[in-house]
Amino acid sequence: MAAVLAVQPCSVTLPAGAGKTELIAASVAEAVHRGGTSLVLTHTHAGVDALRRRMKKFGVMRDRFVVRTIDSWSYDLIAHFPDLAGLAVPTIPDWTRSTEYHLAAARAAGTPAVAKMLRLSYTNLFVDEYHDCVLDQHNLVLSLSGSIPTTVLGDPLQSLLTFGETPPVDWDSDVLPNFPEVVVDHRPRRWEPDHAELGQWLVDIRTELTDGMPISFSGTPVRWVRKSDDRTFVSECMKALGQEGTIAVLGRFRHDCVSAASKLSGRYTVMEALDEKATLAFAAKVDTGSGAAVAHAVVEFAAKCSVGIPTHISSAKRKRLLNGLSFVTRDEDLKPTYEAVVRVREQPTPTTVRTAFELLGDLQGVSIHCREAWNEVSRSLAAAAADGCTVTEALHLARSHTRAAGRQAAARVVSRPLLVKGLEYDHVIILDPTAYGAQELYVALTRGSKSVTVISDSSTLPVARMQAHKKSPTRG
């Protein structure tokens, strides 16, 4: 860490699990020892959580560092200096304008007043996961580096994020000329001491992945399971529950994850993107839909987030609900829920929706696997009812808070490589990665510190499917 602090501005390239988060925390601790205060920027709320936990491990006092996402920090800078940034931002961030926020924050950071403020506030800047920066974020960091000694850290093989037509940073042409590389001794720490063979294998396949070669799991530390049908993974995931530690089951798209989690009967929860559109669409429906449409949406959303609701409310009854027809039951235990849903149809307010939503989740035999989406909706409904705002406004406020404060992942999740980047689990089960790109595959394989299980038709993944660069939703 002393070598890094001595040569800023600089860049560090490290493989997954080789101690990048540890290096940042150790460098921040060393900066504090020298009387400094550090700003640490990353891309995701999960990265914020991981960095804060590592700072705690090093005993770094909370008032001596700030860890934020690039986007949320940019927004706050503009909000404090709108005239210097040349942009007025709304009370609730509009993350579809994130490019504007980056450009405006860079303008503000380049002014003498803000540059002075930055120098007085921070002695060092560390930017994690730099391979995920797009050019406007890179330009912001360049502007900040004019005031604060800066280190950027990343690994091009873990680059998963691109944003529409906005190009990602190129390590050779954009990063290295501005942040010369510092070579840091490293080893696959994540897998030491008991799983060093797995760690070394993951280091060794980096060349194969970057060169577009097939990846074979035969005779490797990765456990390969032949996919016999669409439910092969169920027994593997259930057996994994008997192992000690955290587990991530990885699909590729959200619908893969929701489908898998539903077949696992709520034993695993779906990790959602922070800008998940399904939740936002539901909030908009509650705010603007007719009573019948809102009541129908409540039941449908609850059913998609859980297992068991169709047993109590059939599709035929849900259709009657939407069409304004009689919606009743003879089951005394179900009557309070049915009556609550009818009240939504008669009076679609956040209060009536929340009551019906909670009763649906409490029905006998119902298990919720989209727990993050469920909780986000429940909190937003409660806030809208208490504060008199729309559910959509409450949802945006909740997401802004999460972007600033971070969130903690569940111990048993079904997710995607994009969303678990920067996270570590004890065990990982990958559901048929045949269509993964090289970066997706590398990120997925390197999440498990104790075991990695791959379920696929063949023990060798072909080259042709390992080159695409994945696009992602808007980030914050």
Side-chain angles (χ1 to χ4, degrees), residues 273-334:
L274 192 52
D275 61 350
E276 177 50 51
K277 292 179 176 58
T279 314
L280 190 61
F282 175 73
K285 178 72 72 174
V286 175
D287 290 333
T288 62
S290 66
V294 173
H296 180 262
V298 171
V299 178
E300 289 295 326
F301 186 84
K304 290 176 181 177
C305 288
S306 64
V307 173
I309 287 178
T311 303
H312 305 296
I313 307 175
S314 66
S315 59
K317 284 193 172 183
R318 298 201 294 275
K319 186 175 181 180
R320 292 179 63 83
L321 180 66
L322 179 62
N323 292 332
L325 302 175
S326 174
F327 184 75
V328 294
T329 179
R330 296 180 180 179
D331 189 324
E332 292 296 327
D333 293 333
L334 295 179

Coordinates of all heavy atoms in Angstrom, one line a residue, residues 273-334:
A273 N -31.8 -6.2 -9.6 CA -31.1 -5.0 -10.0 C -31.7 -3.8 -9.2 O -32.9 -3.8 -8.9 CB -31.2 -4.8 -11.5
L274 N -30.9 -2.8 -8.9 CA -31.4 -1.7 -8.1 C -32.4 -0.8 -8.9 O -33.2 -0.1 -8.3 CB -30.2 -0.8 -7.6 CG -30.5 0.3 -6.6 CD1 -31.3 -0.3 -5.4 CD2 -29.3 1.0 -6.2
D275 N -32.3 -0.9 -10.2 CA -33.3 -0.2 -11.0 C -34.3 -1.2 -11.7 O -34.8 -0.9 -12.8 CB -32.6 0.6 -12.1 CG -31.8 -0.3 -13.1 OD1 -31.6 -1.5 -12.8 OD2 -31.3 0.2 -14.1
E276 N -34.6 -2.2 -11.0 CA -35.5 -3.3 -11.5 C -36.8 -2.6 -12.0 O -37.5 -1.9 -11.3 CB -35.8 -4.3 -10.4 CG -36.8 -5.4 -10.9 CD -36.4 -6.0 -12.2 OE1 -35.3 -6.4 -12.4 OE2 -37.3 -6.0 -13.1
K277 N -37.2 -2.9 -13.3 CA -38.3 -2.2 -13.9 C -39.6 -2.8 -13.5 O -40.7 -2.2 -13.5 CB -38.1 -2.3 -15.4 CG -37.0 -1.5 -16.0 CD -36.8 -1.6 -17.5 CE -35.7 -0.7 -18.0 NZ -34.4 -0.9 -17.3
A278 N -39.7 -4.1 -13.1 CA -40.9 -4.7 -12.7 C -41.5 -4.1 -11.5 O -42.7 -3.8 -11.4 CB -40.7 -6.2 -12.4
T279 N -40.7 -3.7 -10.5 CA -41.1 -3.0 -9.3 C -41.6 -1.6 -9.7 O -42.6 -1.2 -9.1 CB -40.0 -3.0 -8.3 OG1 -39.3 -4.3 -8.2 CG2 -40.5 -2.6 -6.9
L280 N -40.9 -0.9 -10.5 CA -41.3 0.4 -10.9 C -42.6 0.4 -11.7 O -43.4 1.3 -11.5 CB -40.1 1.0 -11.8 CG -40.3 2.5 -12.1 CD1 -40.2 3.3 -10.8 CD2 -39.1 3.0 -13.0
A281 N -42.8 -0.6 -12.5 CA -44.0 -0.7 -13.3 C -45.2 -0.9 -12.3 O -46.3 -0.4 -12.5 CB -43.9 -1.8 -14.3
F282 N -45.0 -1.7 -11.3 CA -46.1 -2.0 -10.3 C -46.4 -0.7 -9.6 O -47.6 -0.4 -9.4 CB -45.7 -3.1 -9.3 CG -46.7 -3.3 -8.2 CD1 -47.9 -3.9 -8.5 CD2 -46.4 -2.8 -6.9 CE1 -48.8 -4.1 -7.5 CE2 -47.3 -3.0 -5.9 CZ -48.5 -3.6 -6.2
A283 N -45.4 0.1 -9.2 CA -45.6 1.3 -8.5 C -46.4 2.3 -9.3 O -47.4 3.0 -8.9 CB -44.3 2.0 -8.1
A284 N -46.1 2.4 -10.6 CA -46.8 3.2 -11.5 C -48.2 2.8 -11.7 O -49.1 3.6 -11.8 CB -46.1 3.3 -12.9
K285 N -48.5 1.5 -11.7 CA -49.8 1.0 -11.8 C -50.7 1.4 -10.6 O -51.8 1.8 -10.8 CB -49.8 -0.5 -12.0 CG -51.2 -1.2 -12.0 CD -51.9 -0.9 -13.4 CE -51.2 -1.7 -14.5 NZ -51.9 -1.6 -15.8
V286 N -50.1 1.3 -9.4 CA -50.8 1.7 -8.2 C -51.2 3.2 -8.3 O -52.2 3.6 -7.9 CB -50.0 1.4 -7.0 CG1 -50.7 1.9 -5.7 CG2 -49.8 -0.1 -6.8
D287 N -50.2 4.0 -8.8 CA -50.4 5.5 -8.8 C -51.5 5.9 -9.9 O -52.2 6.9 -9.7 CB -49.1 6.1 -9.1 CG -48.1 6.1 -8.0 OD1 -48.5 5.9 -6.8 OD2 -46.9 6.1 -8.3
T288 N -51.6 5.2 -11.0 CA -52.4 5.7 -12.1 C -53.5 4.8 -12.6 O -54.3 5.2 -13.3 CB -51.5 6.0 -13.3 OG1 -50.8 4.8 -13.7 CG2 -50.4 7.0 -12.9
G289 N -53.5 3.5 -12.1 CA -54.4 2.5 -12.7 C -55.8 2.7 -12.1 O -56.0 3.3 -11.0
S290 N -56.8 2.1 -12.7 CA -58.2 2.0 -12.2 C -58.2 1.0 -11.0 O -57.2 0.3 -10.8 CB -59.1 1.5 -13.3 OG -58.8 0.1 -13.6
G291 N -59.3 1.1 -10.2 CA -59.4 0.2 -9.1 C -59.2 -1.3 -9.5 O -58.5 -2.0 -8.8
A292 N -59.9 -1.7 -10.5 CA -59.8 -3.1 -11.0 C -58.4 -3.5 -11.4 O -57.9 -4.5 -11.1 CB -60.8 -3.4 -12.1
A293 N -57.8 -2.5 -12.1 CA -56.4 -2.8 -12.6 C -55.4 -2.9 -11.5 O -54.5 -3.7 -11.5 CB -56.0 -1.7 -13.6
V294 N -55.6 -2.0 -10.5 CA -54.6 -2.0 -9.3 C -54.8 -3.3 -8.5 O -53.9 -4.0 -8.1 CB -54.8 -0.8 -8.5 CG1 -54.0 -0.9 -7.2 CG2 -54.5 0.5 -9.2
A295 N -56.1 -3.7 -8.3 CA -56.3 -4.9 -7.5 C -55.8 -6.1 -8.2 O -55.1 -7.0 -7.6 CB -57.8 -5.1 -7.3
H296 N -56.0 -6.2 -9.5 CA -55.4 -7.3 -10.3 C -53.9 -7.3 -10.2 O -53.2 -8.3 -10.1 CB -55.9 -7.2 -11.7 CG -55.4 -8.3 -12.6 ND1 -54.3 -8.1 -13.5 CD2 -55.9 -9.6 -12.8 CE1 -54.1 -9.3 -14.1 NE2 -55.1 -10.2 -13.7
A297 N -53.3 -6.1 -10.3 CA -51.8 -5.9 -10.3 C -51.3 -6.4 -9.0 O -50.2 -7.0 -8.9 CB -51.4 -4.5 -10.6
V298 N -51.9 -6.1 -7.9 CA -51.5 -6.5 -6.6 C -51.4 -8.0 -6.5 O -50.3 -8.5 -6.0 CB -52.4 -5.9 -5.5 CG1 -52.0 -6.6 -4.1 CG2 -52.3 -4.4 -5.4
V299 N -52.4 -8.7 -6.9 CA -52.4 -10.1 -6.8 C -51.4 -10.7 -7.8 O -50.6 -11.7 -7.4 CB -53.8 -10.7 -7.1 CG1 -53.8 -12.2 -7.1 CG2 -54.8 -10.2 -6.1
E300 N -51.3 -10.2 -9.0 CA -50.3 -10.7 -10.0 C -48.9 -10.5 -9.5 O -48.1 -11.4 -9.6 CB -50.6 -10.1 -11.3 CG -51.9 -10.5 -12.0 CD -51.9 -12.0 -12.4 OE1 -50.8 -12.5 -12.7 OE2 -53.0 -12.6 -12.3
F301 N -48.6 -9.3 -9.0 CA -47.2 -9.0 -8.6 C -46.9 -9.9 -7.4 O -45.8 -10.5 -7.3 CB -47.1 -7.6 -8.2 CG -45.7 -7.2 -7.8 CD1 -44.8 -6.8 -8.8 CD2 -45.2 -7.2 -6.5 CE1 -43.5 -6.4 -8.5 CE2 -43.9 -6.8 -6.2 CZ -43.1 -6.4 -7.2
A302 N -47.8 -10.1 -6.5 CA -47.5 -11.0 -5.3 C -47.3 -12.4 -5.7 O -46.4 -13.1 -5.2 CB -48.7 -10.9 -4.3
A303 N -48.1 -12.8 -6.7 CA -48.0 -14.2 -7.2 C -46.6 -14.4 -7.9 O -46.0 -15.5 -7.8 CB -49.1 -14.5 -8.2
K304 N -46.1 -13.4 -8.6 CA -44.9 -13.6 -9.3 C -43.7 -13.5 -8.4 O -42.6 -14.0 -8.7 CB -44.7 -12.5 -10.4 CG -45.7 -12.6 -11.6 CD -45.6 -11.5 -12.5 CE -46.5 -11.7 -13.7 NZ -46.5 -10.5 -14.6
C305 N -43.9 -13.0 -7.2 CA -42.8 -12.9 -6.2 C -42.8 -14.1 -5.3 O -41.9 -14.1 -4.4 CB -43.0 -11.6 -5.4 SG -42.6 -10.1 -6.2
S306 N -43.7 -15.0 -5.4 CA -43.8 -16.0 -4.4 C -44.3 -17.3 -5.1 O -44.6 -17.4 -6.3 CB -44.8 -15.6 -3.4 OG -46.1 -15.4 -3.9
V307 N -44.4 -18.3 -4.2 CA -45.0 -19.6 -4.6 C -46.2 -19.9 -3.7 O -46.1 -19.6 -2.5 CB -44.0 -20.8 -4.5 CG1 -44.7 -22.1 -4.7 CG2 -42.8 -20.6 -5.4
G308 N -47.3 -20.3 -4.2 CA -48.5 -20.7 -3.3 C -49.7 -19.8 -3.5 O -50.8 -20.3 -3.2
I309 N -49.6 -18.6 -4.0 CA -50.8 -17.8 -4.1 C -51.8 -18.3 -5.1 O -53.0 -18.3 -4.8 CB -50.4 -16.3 -4.5 CG1 -49.8 -15.7 -3.2 CG2 -51.6 -15.5 -4.9 CD1 -49.3 -14.3 -3.4
P310 N -51.4 -18.9 -6.3 CA -52.4 -19.4 -7.2 C -53.2 -20.6 -6.6 O -54.3 -20.8 -7.0 CB -51.5 -20.0 -8.3 CG -50.3 -19.1 -8.3 CD -50.1 -18.8 -6.9
T311 N -52.7 -21.2 -5.5 CA -53.5 -22.2 -4.9 C -54.7 -21.7 -4.2 O -55.8 -22.3 -4.1 CB -52.6 -22.9 -3.8 OG1 -51.5 -23.5 -4.4 CG2 -53.4 -24.0 -3.1
H312 N -54.6 -20.4 -3.7 CA -55.7 -19.7 -3.1 C -56.5 -18.8 -4.0 O -57.7 -18.6 -3.7 CB -55.2 -18.9 -1.9 CG -54.3 -19.7 -0.9 ND1 -54.8 -20.7 -0.2 CD2 -53.0 -19.6 -0.6 CE1 -53.9 -21.2 0.6 NE2 -52.8 -20.5 0.3
I313 N -55.9 -18.3 -5.0 CA -56.6 -17.4 -6.0 C -56.3 -17.9 -7.4 O -55.2 -17.6 -7.9 CB -56.2 -16.0 -5.7 CG1 -56.3 -15.5 -4.3 CG2 -57.0 -15.0 -6.6 CD1 -55.8 -14.2 -4.0
S314 N -57.2 -18.6 -8.0 CA -56.9 -19.2 -9.3 C -56.9 -18.1 -10.4 O -57.3 -16.9 -10.2 CB -58.1 -20.1 -9.6 OG -59.3 -19.4 -9.8
S315 N -56.4 -18.5 -11.5 CA -56.3 -17.5 -12.6 C -57.6 -17.1 -13.1 O -57.8 -15.9 -13.5 CB -55.5 -18.2 -13.8 OG -56.2 -19.3 -14.2
A316 N -58.6 -17.9 -13.0 CA -60.0 -17.6 -13.3 C -60.5 -16.5 -12.4 O -61.2 -15.5 -12.8 CB -60.9 -18.8 -13.3
K317 N -60.2 -16.6 -11.1 CA -60.7 -15.6 -10.1 C -59.9 -14.3 -10.3 O -60.5 -13.2 -10.2 CB -60.5 -16.1 -8.7 CG -61.5 -17.2 -8.3 CD -61.5 -17.4 -6.8 CE -62.7 -18.3 -6.4 NZ -62.8 -18.5 -5.0
R318 N -58.6 -14.4 -10.7 CA -57.9 -13.2 -10.9 C -58.4 -12.4 -12.2 O -58.5 -11.2 -12.2 CB -56.4 -13.5 -11.1 CG -55.8 -14.1 -9.9 CD -54.3 -14.0 -9.9 NE -53.6 -14.7 -10.9 CZ -53.2 -16.0 -10.9 NH1 -53.5 -16.7 -9.8 NH2 -52.6 -16.6 -11.9
K319 N -58.9 -13.2 -13.1 CA -59.5 -12.6 -14.3 C -60.8 -11.9 -13.9 O -61.1 -10.8 -14.4 CB -59.8 -13.6 -15.4 CG -60.3 -13.0 -16.7 CD -60.4 -14.1 -17.8 CE -60.9 -13.5 -19.1 NZ -61.0 -14.6 -20.1
R320 N -61.6 -12.5 -13.1 CA -62.9 -11.9 -12.6 C -62.6 -10.6 -11.8 O -63.3 -9.6 -11.9 CB -63.6 -12.9 -11.7 CG -64.2 -14.1 -12.4 CD -64.9 -15.0 -11.4 NE -66.0 -14.4 -10.8 CZ -67.2 -14.3 -11.3 NH1 -67.5 -14.8 -12.6 NH2 -68.2 -13.7 -10.7
L321 N -61.5 -10.6 -11.1 CA -61.1 -9.4 -10.3 C -60.8 -8.3 -11.3 O -61.3 -7.1 -11.1 CB -59.8 -9.7 -9.5 CG -59.2 -8.6 -8.7 CD1 -60.2 -8.3 -7.5 CD2 -57.9 -9.1 -8.1
L322 N -60.1 -8.5 -12.4 CA -59.8 -7.5 -13.3 C -61.0 -7.0 -14.1 O -61.1 -5.8 -14.4 CB -58.7 -8.1 -14.4 CG -58.3 -7.1 -15.5 CD1 -57.6 -5.9 -14.9 CD2 -57.4 -7.9 -16.4
N323 N -62.0 -7.9 -14.3 CA -63.1 -7.5 -15.0 C -64.2 -6.9 -14.2 O -65.3 -6.6 -14.6 CB -63.7 -8.7 -15.8 CG -62.8 -9.2 -16.9 OD1 -62.0 -8.4 -17.5 ND2 -62.8 -10.4 -17.2
G324 N -64.0 -6.7 -12.9 CA -64.9 -6.1 -12.0 C -66.1 -7.0 -11.6 O -67.1 -6.5 -11.1
L325 N -65.9 -8.3 -11.7 CA -66.9 -9.2 -11.4 C -66.8 -9.7 -9.9 O -65.8 -9.3 -9.2 CB -66.9 -10.5 -12.3 CG -67.0 -10.2 -13.8 CD1 -66.8 -11.4 -14.6 CD2 -68.4 -9.5 -14.1
S326 N -67.7 -10.5 -9.5 CA -67.7 -10.9 -8.1 C -66.4 -11.7 -7.8 O -65.9 -12.5 -8.5 CB -68.9 -11.9 -7.9 OG -68.8 -12.4 -6.6
F327 N -65.8 -11.3 -6.6 CA -64.5 -11.9 -6.2 C -64.7 -12.3 -4.7 O -64.5 -11.5 -3.8 CB -63.4 -10.8 -6.3 CG -62.1 -11.4 -6.0 CD1 -61.4 -12.2 -6.9 CD2 -61.4 -11.0 -4.8 CE1 -60.1 -12.7 -6.6 CE2 -60.2 -11.5 -4.5 CZ -59.5 -12.3 -5.4
V328 N -65.1 -13.5 -4.5 CA -65.4 -14.0 -3.2 C -64.9 -15.4 -3.0 O -64.5 -16.1 -4.0 CB -66.9 -14.0 -2.9 CG1 -67.5 -12.6 -2.9 CG2 -67.7 -14.9 -4.0
T329 N -64.9 -15.9 -1.8 CA -64.5 -17.3 -1.4 C -65.3 -17.8 -0.3 O -65.8 -17.0 0.5 CB -63.0 -17.3 -1.0 OG1 -62.6 -18.6 -0.7 CG2 -62.7 -16.4 0.2
R330 N -65.5 -19.1 -0.2 CA -66.2 -19.7 0.9 C -65.3 -20.1 2.0 O -65.8 -20.4 3.1 CB -67.0 -20.9 0.4 CG -68.1 -20.6 -0.6 CD -68.7 -21.9 -1.1 NE -69.8 -21.6 -2.1 CZ -70.5 -22.6 -2.6 NH1 -70.3 -23.9 -2.3 NH2 -71.4 -22.3 -3.5
D331 N -64.0 -20.0 1.8 CA -63.0 -20.4 2.8 C -62.9 -19.3 3.8 O -62.5 -18.2 3.5 CB -61.7 -20.7 2.1 CG -60.6 -21.3 3.1 OD1 -60.6 -20.9 4.3 OD2 -59.8 -22.1 2.6
E332 N -63.3 -19.6 5.1 CA -63.2 -18.5 6.1 C -61.8 -18.0 6.3 O -61.7 -16.8 6.6 CB -63.8 -19.1 7.4 CG -65.3 -19.5 7.4 CD -66.1 -18.2 7.2 OE1 -65.7 -17.1 7.7 OE2 -67.2 -18.3 6.5
D333 N -60.8 -18.8 6.2 CA -59.4 -18.3 6.4 C -59.0 -17.4 5.3 O -58.1 -16.5 5.5 CB -58.5 -19.5 6.4 CG -58.7 -20.4 7.7 OD1 -59.2 -19.9 8.7 OD2 -58.4 -21.6 7.6
L334 N -59.6 -17.5 4.1 CA -59.2 -16.7 3.0 C -60.0 -15.4 2.9 O -59.6 -14.4 2.2 CB -59.3 -17.4 1.7 CG -58.4 -18.7 1.5 CD1 -58.7 -19.3 0.1 CD2 -57.0 -18.2 1.5

